[in-house]
Amino acid sequence: MPMSSPYCHWIIPRGVRFAVLFAALLALLAACSSEPEGPALTLPPLPWPSDALEPLISQRTIKLHHGKHHAAYVDKANTLIANSRYEGKPVEEILAATRGKKRHTALFNNTAQAWNHAFFWTCLTPEGNAKPEGALAEAINTEFGGWNAFRSAFIEASLSHFGSGWVWLVRDKGALRILTTANADTPVAQGLTPLFTIDLWEHAYYLDVQNRRKAYVEGVFDGLANWKAAEKRYNAGKP
Ligand SMILES: [Fe+2]
């Protein structure tokens, strides 16, 4: 009687071996071909020196606002996006998909604040004492009844907005609209084209003018608003 082997031999069918090898090869190819995902959002550099908007907006405010508040929104948004199904998606798509969804509140808020702030810096300029020209100026005249009426409506909307948020001039298809959004909410998630905004959160002005939101909004509107950038957005139909 033949002695039984002390070892257990596993015989793997040839077809199974081939399938295992093929799966391993596919996994290797996928790992080699996929680029590592970069962060969805980055902190953009300011378009002017941090003291360029003084005296209305101090260097201290800008450094805190950009280097702490905006940077924190970017970091938090990237962490939340990296752990979600939205990794690798365009930011505007993420905002539209998560707006109003309770389970994505933190992701939406931080991503929207990152987008809003990046947009806000481009709405400001130390040479902001000019009014819009060209097609945007004509549209403002037609839809609001002139520059002074537009200015009054924009400032009134800013002052009547309760709490934190943003005041916007947007293009809604063909029309211009002034609107405010609460907290992090953003028109870019609503299919609108933002042309200009002012940050109404207290962190934007409290160190410089304390609770005088009117002084801050009027000062930005009359002296720091980048209407050239708004004109380009209006003409292009995109933010
Ligand atoms: Fe802000």
Side-chain angles (χ1 to χ4, degrees):
M1 187 176 170
M3 288 180 64
S4 62
S5 165
Y7 301 105
C8 182
H9 291 286
W10 288 88
I11 306 297
I12 302 174
R14 211 171 155 184
V16 174
R17 269 184 288 167
F18 179 77
V20 169
L21 278 172
F22 188 65
L25 185 61
L26 282 181
L28 187 64
L29 282 173
C32 291
S33 63
S34 63
E35 293 288 327
E37 291 281 353
L41 295 154
T42 54
L43 181 68
L46 292 166
W48 19 255
S50 57
D51 62 353
L53 308 183
E54 291 189 337
L56 182 67
I57 305 178
S58 65
Q59 184 178 47
R60 187 176 171 217
T61 289
I62 290 294
K63 284 191 166 181
L64 277 169
H65 200 172
H66 177 259
K68 301 292 182 187
H69 290 278
H70 188 177
Y73 294 131
V74 169
D75 289 346
K76 185 73 175 170
N78 281 333
T79 300
L80 293 167
I81 290 169
N83 291 298
S84 78
R85 73 176 82 160
Y86 300 107
E87 190 171 18
K89 304 275 188 207
V91 172
E92 288 80 2
E93 189 180 319
I94 295 172
L95 291 172
T98 56
R99 183 173 185 262
K101 304 240 170 73
K102 272 194 174 178
R103 68 182 185 282
H104 293 310
T105 298
L107 190 157
F108 174 83
N109 283 343
N110 284 280
T111 307
Q113 282 293 79
W115 193 96
N116 289 346
H117 282 87
F119 183 80
F120 176 51
W121 306 130
T122 66
C123 291
L124 303 176
T125 172
E127 290 92 38
N129 53 4
K131 295 175 186 171
E133 296 174 351
L136 178 58
E138 287 172 24
I140 286 171
N141 286 338
T142 303
E143 300 196 35
F144 296 100
W147 177 254
N148 290 339
F150 167 64
R151 181 185 181 278
S152 296
F154 194 90
I155 289 167
E156 173 56 28
S158 309
L159 301 184
S160 58
H161 180 81
F162 183 78
S164 296
W166 300 80
V167 59
W168 306 85
L169 174 66
V170 302
R171 184 169 181 166
D172 181 0
K173 299 186 179 68
L176 287 178
R177 281 172 54 195
I178 294 167
L179 57 90
T180 62
T181 56
N183 301 317
D185 201 8
T186 178
V188 81
Q190 305 171 46
L192 303 169
T193 304
L195 304 178
F196 176 73
T197 192
I198 297 180
D199 187 343
L200 299 178
W201 286 59
E202 284 188 344
H203 66 224
Y205 60 88
Y206 207 86
L207 286 176
D208 300 320
V209 295
Q210 292 75 55
N211 62 332
R212 291 178 292 129
R213 182 185 280 186
K214 186 169 189 275
Y216 159 72
V217 170
E218 287 185 340
V220 170
F221 192 96
D222 294 332
L224 299 175
N226 189 348
W227 295 116
K228 286 278 166 236
E231 283 170 23
K232 284 182 188 162
R233 292 175 185 126
Y234 181 79
N235 294 336
K238 61 184 181 184

